[in-house]
Amino acid sequence: MSGTWMTTRAWLLMLPLLIIMLAVIGWPMIDTVRLSFTDAKLVGAAGNFVGFDNYLKMLGSSNFQRALWATTWFAVVSVTAEMVIGVLAALLLNQQFYGRTVLRALLILPWALPTVVNATLWRLIYNPEYGALNAVLTQIGLLDSYRSWLGEPGTAMTALIIADCWKNFPLVALITLAALQAVPRDITSASLVDGAGSFARFRFVILPYLAGPLMVALVLRTIEAFKVFDIIWVMTRGGPANSTRTLSILVYQEAFSFQRAGSGASLALVVTLIVTVLAIGYGMLVRRAAGSAA
Amino acid sequence: MSTLTINAIRKSYGAVETLKGIDIALESGEFLVLLGASGCGKSTLLNIIAGLAEPTSGDIRIGERSIVGVHPKDRDIAMVFQSYALYPNLTVHRNIGFGLEMRKVDKAERDRAVHETAKLLQIENLLDRKPGQLSGGQRQRVAIGRALVRNPKIFLFDEPLSNLDAKLRMEMRTELKRLHQMTRTTVVYVTHDQIEAMTLATRIAVMRNGRIEQLDTPEKIYNRPATLYVATFVGAPPMNLLAATAGEGGLQIDGSDIVVSVPGLESAAPGRRLVLGIRPEAIGKADGVLSLSARCEVAELTGPELVVTAMVGNQRIVAALPASTKLQAGDAIVLSADPAAFHVFDAQTEQRLN
Ligand SMILES: Nc1ncnc2c1ncn2[C@@H]1O[C@H](COP(=O)(O)OP(=O)(O)OP(=O)(O)O)[C@@H](O)[C@H]1O
Ligand SMILES: [Mg+2]
């Protein structure tokens, strides 16, 4: 069979899918680009062409800069913590001990919960009047009086990050646990005979086997963290005093709360661009990690 | 004083007893080969010596010191694994020096030792490569180098050659022998390849189902196997086993009227069921003491010899004859063997009688 026919047939077979994808992703995307150059409202007239006005205004606004900073902070801190805690949890769960199977099964629970449920759960924990955190901290004497963890700009972001970590570290742990199974027994045995302590064994013997999978986890989690919306929306709605207003929250507010479809669209496109750049950069990193591990 | 003393070692995994009481005493400089079929417990024993598994009961000493419960790194042993177990992300240089690095040997001293070892193994030109860039034989050398550089009391090898092709395996076998003759270190070497065992060992321990069947020099294992199992495990083509019965004038081969008197068998009670073992290479053509008339069934030329399968009475026998022998299927031949080379076993207990 000729190569061109194979290629033609491949395209033919993919055509229905391509059409659907263009319809549900491509068209809205193109329409968003169009919107971003207008001053359209969410409802009503189509709006006038305003060129790059939306972009220029937005990039110069302090709202955007603060949101970008909040997003970056949220992503960097929560993803770092998730990676560290996830790997440590996996190393622990990889040891032989009684009850390991049960713990491994329990590990997946936070991650399996819908984000909304998780967020509601943490709101209860942080509740200023009857929350468990206040109760525990006062009972062990670390706190004099109850605080509103989600109501104070100084603590809201940290509280959010903790909730996000709790939900997402199991993903990192599971990926690591799977990768640990791939470390050949002979190699860990050899390192024991060679006299490597636990740190050296992790650094030189085990980590190389984890590098590729961890890189994938890092990419997934960073991109997700940059797009974060639901957990924040349920817990703080971007408050207090906009201290937890990330880019996605800002897009939502701009487009739907303030009904400015045009500038909302331009903001959404900027977020998309940032995430795409991140994804491509990471993709290259992953390929490098995979190449050096082989 | 022995270098390695293994005393009544037992090992159970759950209800299954994998090692059922192993005793070995090894002198300094010995090359002990643990030989046995798959699953007989060779690796388990080696791992117990290395400290990678703990025995259920029994004692192991290196010199005077009991090493049960001692961490592998503190046992003064080095191990070469079947899979080589090189660290894939470290260079050959660091792979070899890793044990010294972990023991905080200073860099200059380490480099010197690595280079010396690499020179011995002729892998100096590979020192900057990663294991992924090496051939199987080169990896094998690196794995051996990693053990050698530490200069331990005892070397442990777990089937180190089984992943190599036949030619390379022979080369490395010779190489190992040369290294051992040069360094004179004590070695425990696991294999299920009887040629490797015969060529490398100063002593062989033939293992079966978690027990040692015979612990002896290669010559003794080959010439005076203590049990039927050892007799059949060592030698290729395998030893001929003929059913026989003890009688008045000696031993009678079942299904024929041949009676042989075998030295050392005079006391066997008449009627006792026996197994007569004759190695194919101990059978000649009509110049030995005992003559067996036989009919040739198959004649296979292997190169150096002609392997003949023939019928003696109603029992099949294999003989390795000189390649120049002219024989065809169906020919009647007279085979001969010297009763001094006979191995007689009790059919019941499988123990050697003569
Ligand atoms: N960790 C373990 N748990 C349970 N059983 C084990 C374990 N390790 C080994 N065994 C069992 O012990 C027996 C001996 O195993 P071992 O690895 O010592 O065999 P071996 O002689 O080295 O065989 P091979 O030539 O195939 O490597 C086998 O039946 C094996 O199934
Ligand atoms: Mg084995």
Side-chain angles (χ1 to χ4, degrees), chain B residues 74-125:
Chain B
D74 301 321
R75 291 189 175 203
D76 210 359
I77 49 123
M79 187 154 173
V80 177
F81 295 83
Q82 177 174 1
S83 60
Y84 314 140
L86 301 178
Y87 310 121
N89 59 318
L90 303 184
T91 60
V92 168
H93 191 292
R94 277 195 79 192
N95 259 284
I96 296 178
F98 195 71
L100 300 177
E101 189 181 333
M102 292 300 116
R103 284 173 171 76
K104 310 267 186 292
V105 175
D106 71 59
K107 189 161 174 356
E109 167 63 17
R110 209 162 70 210
D111 283 348
R112 195 197 53 73
V114 169
H115 278 284
E116 194 175 290
T117 307
K119 192 169 168 201
L120 190 70
L121 292 164
Q122 294 151 19
I123 48 174
E124 280 170 298
N125 54 332

Side-chain angles (χ1 to χ4, degrees), chain A residues 227-255:
Chain A
K227 299 188 300 187
V228 64
F229 179 80
D230 40 9
I231 193 169
I232 296 181
W233 192 248
V234 174
M235 286 178 73
T236 64
R237 303 220 161 203
N242 292 334
S243 61
T244 61
R245 185 163 70 181
T246 57
L247 287 171
S248 295
I249 301 273
L250 189 63
V251 172
Y252 182 87
Q253 286 182 348
E254 193 67 22

Side-chain angles (χ1 to χ4, degrees), chain A residues 1-42:
Chain A
M1 208 177 288
S2 84
T4 36
W5 166 234
M6 287 291 279
T7 312
T8 318
R9 196 172 62 164
W11 278 104
L12 271 175
L13 287 171
M14 284 193 299
L15 200 60
L17 183 69
L18 283 176
I19 290 173
I20 293 173
M21 287 203 16
L22 269 179
V24 301
I25 299 175
W27 172 245
M29 192 87 182
I30 291 165
D31 199 46
T32 308
V33 174
R34 184 191 59 77
L35 260 180
S36 74
F37 291 107
T38 70
D39 61 358
K41 298 285 173 215
L42 193 61

Side-chain angles (χ1 to χ4, degrees), chain A residues 114-237:
Chain A
T115 309
V116 180
V117 176
N118 180 58
T120 313
L121 230 128
W122 279 94
R123 263 182 70 163
L124 286 175
I125 294 173
Y126 290 136
N127 188 290
E129 279 136 41
Y130 47 81
L133 184 64
N134 277 319
V136 168
L137 289 182
T138 44
Q139 270 162 34
I140 60 174
L142 282 177
L143 205 64
D144 303 330
S145 59
Y146 279 23
R147 290 181 59 176
S148 174
W149 302 103
L150 294 174
E152 296 169 26
T155 55
M157 183 55 105
T158 311
L160 269 179
I161 288 175
I162 291 174
D164 188 66
C165 280
W166 159 258
K167 176 166 169 50
N168 287 311
F169 90 89
L171 176 73
V172 180
L174 285 173
I175 290 176
T176 311
L177 213 46
L180 281 173
Q181 310 310 307
V183 181
R185 238 186 106 97
D186 278 0
I187 293 206
T188 39
S189 293
S191 70
L192 279 177
V193 175
D194 270 342
S198 14
F199 179 75
R201 190 155 69 246
F202 179 74
R203 168 71 189 77
F204 297 116
V205 180
I206 296 174
L207 195 58
Y209 286 91
L210 304 186
L214 278 183
M215 199 51 98
V216 172
L218 184 68
V219 172
L220 282 176
R221 285 300 312 138
T222 312
I223 290 172
E224 263 180 30
F226 243 91
K227 299 188 300 187
V228 64
F229 179 80
D230 40 9
I231 193 169
I232 296 181
W233 192 248
V234 174
M235 286 178 73
T236 64
R237 303 220 161 203

Side-chain angles (χ1 to χ4, degrees), chain B residues 37-220:
Chain B
S38 192
C40 70
K42 308 179 295 286
S43 298
T44 306
L45 180 56
L46 204 69
N47 287 337
I48 287 176
I49 300 173
L52 299 170
E54 285 300 324
T56 311
S57 68
D59 189 26
I60 302 184
R61 287 168 184 279
I62 292 183
E64 292 287 271
R65 184 172 73 120
S66 171
I67 54 165
V68 173
V70 174
H71 191 277
K73 73 174 197 287
D74 301 321
R75 291 189 175 203
D76 210 359
I77 49 123
M79 187 154 173
V80 177
F81 295 83
Q82 177 174 1
S83 60
Y84 314 140
L86 301 178
Y87 310 121
N89 59 318
L90 303 184
T91 60
V92 168
H93 191 292
R94 277 195 79 192
N95 259 284
I96 296 178
F98 195 71
L100 300 177
E101 189 181 333
M102 292 300 116
R103 284 173 171 76
K104 310 267 186 292
V105 175
D106 71 59
K107 189 161 174 356
E109 167 63 17
R110 209 162 70 210
D111 283 348
R112 195 197 53 73
V114 169
H115 278 284
E116 194 175 290
T117 307
K119 192 169 168 201
L120 190 70
L121 292 164
Q122 294 151 19
I123 48 174
E124 280 170 298
N125 54 332
L126 305 177
L127 285 177
D128 294 326
R129 295 211 202 157
K130 297 267 178 82
Q133 302 163 313
L134 302 178
S135 72
Q138 290 168 334
R139 280 180 218 185
Q140 180 63 68
R141 279 167 199 268
V142 177
I144 293 172
R146 189 171 60 180
L148 219 52
V149 77
R150 296 232 333 265
N151 200 11
K153 274 235 173 61
I154 301 175
F155 282 104
L156 306 174
F157 289 86
D158 194 350
E159 311 208 21
L161 307 185
S162 59
N163 284 341
L164 303 178
D165 63 54
K167 183 166 172 289
L168 205 53
R169 190 185 298 191
M170 261 178 64
E171 280 173 25
M172 285 307 291
R173 204 172 71 203
T174 314
E175 181 96 8
L176 278 175
K177 182 123 186 157
R178 180 179 72 89
L179 276 174
H180 179 247
Q181 283 167 352
M182 213 154 67
T183 57
R184 281 288 155 209
T185 36
T186 312
V187 176
V188 181
Y189 184 107
V190 165
T191 182
H192 55 238
D193 183 321
Q194 44 139 339
I195 309 275
E196 255 169 53
M198 293 296 290
T199 50
L200 288 170
T202 58
R203 280 198 294 165
I204 298 177
V206 180
M207 290 182 65
R208 179 194 191 187
N209 290 335
R211 287 204 176 82
I212 293 183
E213 288 263 317
Q214 187 173 3
L215 174 56
D216 233 323
T217 61
E219 296 74 30
K220 283 274 180 53

